[in-house]
Amino acid sequence: MARRKIIAGNWKMNMTPTEAVELINTLKPLVATDDADVVFCVPAIDIIPAMEAAKGSNIAIGAENMYFEEKGAYTGEISPAMLTDAGVKYVVLGHSERREYFAETSETVNKKMLKAFEHGITPIMCCGETLTQREQGVTMDFIRQQVKVGFLGVTAEQAATAVIAYEPIWAIGTGKTATTEQAQEVCKGIRECIAEIYDAATAEKIRIQYGGSVNAATAPELFAQPDIDGGLVGGAALKPDFGKIVNWK
């Protein structure tokens, strides 16, 4: 079964609402394709204007985070119902920056995963190792733990629809990219981990992205790998070059 590629831009803390609309209008013709799902994960304040700007195009709008409670006294947080009401279909969960700067753990990511599925939002769950962990040879041990805890209580049917983004922390925004071999090796390991938790059929369906300084030059080789089903793209998603990444073939 050929898995459909999913290429998502993670805007991080960039783009005012006005800039978001301008960027989407610039990118709309450049990212048009029938060969992949195209998602822009944007800051919360940009979601509504981005949704309007993307109307009639093949661009789906995603969020960069959400909370695991329905509503309540959680100042500054965004609920899954708020996202679905706005038309959001995807949410990035457990990005390494959230884990590093905002004390997110695999346990809180798991709560968010369960809540996203409950509301019909597709999670893009991030995992990845530090340079020290890679040098110590514990890359797969660490990532397997992130995946196993992240998917705790998630059904096989739900897992099959999820997206996992492998992002080596040492390659995010550094200009360093994992070699194609390194990226494929870990994505294959993640798929094997999902097969262990569930079964081979579920592992065959789940989409696994590579992220970490993906650009127009590196995308074709990365996306051609058997276990890499697209990319979670940072800086390059804010430029016209994103069109070349989406139309990588």
Side-chain angles (χ1 to χ4, degrees):
M1 181 196 76
R3 289 178 298 272
R4 185 171 168 82
K5 297 284 188 215
I6 175 164
I7 300 163
N10 176 22
W11 287 14
K12 308 192 180 186
M13 197 177 74
N14 294 296
M15 299 285 143
T16 64
T18 307
E19 290 167 341
V21 171
E22 286 172 5
L23 180 60
I24 288 171
N25 286 333
T26 300
L27 287 176
K28 263 196 286 200
L30 305 178
V31 301
T33 180
D34 293 325
D35 295 335
D37 292 334
V38 179
V39 187
F40 291 1
C41 296
V42 306
I45 199 169
D46 294 345
I47 288 172
I48 303 286
M51 201 68 72
E52 283 297 313
K55 263 187 185 160
S57 74
N58 63 314
I59 299 166
I61 300 299
E64 296 180 13
N65 185 33
M66 68 166 216
Y67 200 51
F68 50 75
E69 296 289 357
E70 296 288 339
K71 58 170 78 167
Y74 305 103
T75 301
E77 290 295 333
I78 290 173
S79 75
M82 292 173 186
L83 294 183
T84 51
D85 189 68
V88 167
K89 298 284 193 290
Y90 296 87
V91 62
V92 176
L93 298 177
H95 192 280
S96 61
E97 288 155 5
R98 299 279 331 157
R99 294 178 195 252
E100 184 183 353
Y101 305 136
F102 305 106
E104 286 204 6
T105 64
S106 292
E107 287 76 14
T108 55
V109 170
N110 175 240
K111 288 182 179 181
K112 292 179 180 188
M113 289 279 286
L114 295 170
K115 195 51 80 170
F117 284 121
E118 208 179 293
H119 284 263
I121 304 171
T122 300
I124 300 174
M125 194 199 89
C126 302
C127 57
E129 81 284 10
T130 62
L131 189 56
T132 306
Q133 286 162 337
R134 177 161 279 276
E135 286 169 348
Q136 287 169 338
V138 297
T139 294
M140 273 325 300
D141 299 321
F142 182 70
I143 287 169
R144 282 167 59 84
Q145 184 183 21
Q146 286 185 315
V147 172
K148 287 195 168 188
V149 176
F151 278 80
L152 201 61
V154 173
T155 68
E157 292 74 25
Q158 290 171 331
T161 68
V163 179
I164 298 176
Y166 165 54
E167 295 198 302
I169 294 168
W170 48 271
I172 298 173
T174 59
K176 289 181 184 173
T177 312
T179 65
T180 305
E181 292 72 27
Q182 286 172 325
Q184 161 59 20
E185 181 187 18
V186 175
C187 290
K188 181 172 184 274
I190 292 170
R191 200 173 302 285
E192 287 166 355
C193 182
I194 291 292
E196 276 175 39
I197 302 170
Y198 301 103
D199 50 46
T202 306
E204 191 58 34
K205 287 178 188 163
I206 198 166
R207 295 189 287 180
I208 303 171
Q209 299 173 314
Y210 170 75
S213 301
V214 175
N215 57 44
T218 58
E221 198 181 323
L222 284 164
F223 296 173
Q225 298 309 302
D227 289 292
I228 300 178
D229 305 314
L232 184 60
V233 184
L238 302 170
K239 301 171 186 159
D241 250 20
F242 190 56
K244 293 178 187 164
I245 297 173
V246 167
N247 292 285
W248 59 279
K249 280 185 180 174

